Amino acid sequence: MRATPEPYDEMGHLRRRGVTQYSIVHQRMYTGPAELLADGRSEILEVGFGIGFGLEVLTRKNCFRRYVGVEIDGACYDYVRSLPVGQRPDVTLLCGDFRELALDDQFDYAFCIEVIEHIEPADCCAVLRKIRSLIRKTLFLSTPDINRAEHGLFTADEITGFLYDAGFSHVVALRDQWTDLYIAAR
């Protein structure tokens, strides 16, 4: 049995690095999909928006007509809300546990970047099912490869299995760095 890691303090970690730095690996999780979505017509849900790097990339690439971000960390929420990109009329930021929020909107795409490994294994499928129920097209999910990262909870096979169990019909895993990107289509 694997031990659950200590809670990760993303905002504290990023403050120590001057907030402006976001790892190249994390950047890759947004920049690739953003190239595909650069038509300005998509409705996007982001589960765990952190310090808003994804929102900034998606805004810069003109990827959405509507963005809803959910963050459980109040410090990250306050930080992103204070940024110009967090104050746009086409951006809605919510703070709270994604599992408890009454979201019934439909989105074209969802991003869940470096979040799922912080969810208890017993809750993982329920979270992915809820995401699937809210999107019409594709989920972009990333998580550290357990064999190479210190805080990953799941193997690639487990994540792929969770995605199929949640009802995604096609799953592709890009596993070329220490964190894996999963593209899961309805």
Side-chain angles (χ1 to χ4, degrees):
M1 173 169 248
R2 291 182 295 247
T4 302
E6 290 295 315
Y8 180 66
D9 176 17
E10 181 177 28
M11 196 64 194
H13 181 72
L14 289 165
R15 277 191 181 122
R16 287 188 295 278
R17 291 183 2 209
V19 180
T20 58
Q21 300 173 7
Y22 212 61
S23 79
I24 296 300
V25 176
H26 285 85
Q27 292 177 32
R28 174 182 71 99
M29 300 305 158
Y30 292 100
T31 55
E35 293 298 322
L36 301 173
L37 307 179
D39 64 6
R41 296 183 295 202
S42 298
E43 295 182 336
I44 295 177
L45 169 67
E46 184 167 15
V47 179
F49 60 77
I51 63 160
F53 179 80
L55 174 57
E56 288 183 26
V57 169
L58 297 169
T59 299
R60 203 173 333 115
K61 296 281 188 180
N62 189 36
C63 291
F64 61 86
R65 67 182 171 95
R66 182 172 72 110
Y67 169 98
V68 174
V70 178
E71 177 58 51
I72 196 166
D73 183 337
C76 290
Y77 170 77
D78 290 339
Y79 175 75
V80 175
R81 193 174 56 154
S82 71
L83 299 175
V85 73
Q87 298 174 15
R88 293 170 43 134
D90 53 350
V91 171
T92 301
L93 300 176
L94 304 171
C95 188
D97 189 330
F98 172 71
R99 295 167 285 194
E100 297 173 7
L101 292 174
L103 287 171
D104 56 3
D105 294 359
Q106 285 289 294
F107 302 89
D108 297 309
Y109 302 97
F111 285 82
C112 187
I113 306 300
E114 304 300 307
V115 171
I116 207 77
E117 69 272 12
H118 301 288
I119 297 172
E120 291 297 321
D123 297 331
C124 191
C125 273
V127 168
L128 292 173
R129 268 194 229 75
K130 182 169 182 174
I131 292 172
R132 187 194 172 277
S133 74
L134 296 171
I135 62 172
R136 292 182 280 266
K137 297 179 181 177
T138 305
L139 165 65
F140 299 97
L141 177 142
S142 73
T143 188
D145 181 330
I146 191 169
N147 298 321
R148 290 177 271 165
E150 61 205 33
H151 73 286
L153 279 180
F154 307 111
T155 66
D157 289 341
E158 289 170 322
I159 292 291
T160 301
F162 290 154
L163 289 164
Y164 281 122
D165 289 348
F168 289 96
S169 59
H170 304 287
V171 177
V172 173
L174 304 175
R175 305 191 65 221
D176 59 344
Q177 295 188 28
W178 66 269
T179 192
D180 301 335
L181 176 64
Y182 298 85
I183 303 168
R186 282 190 53 127

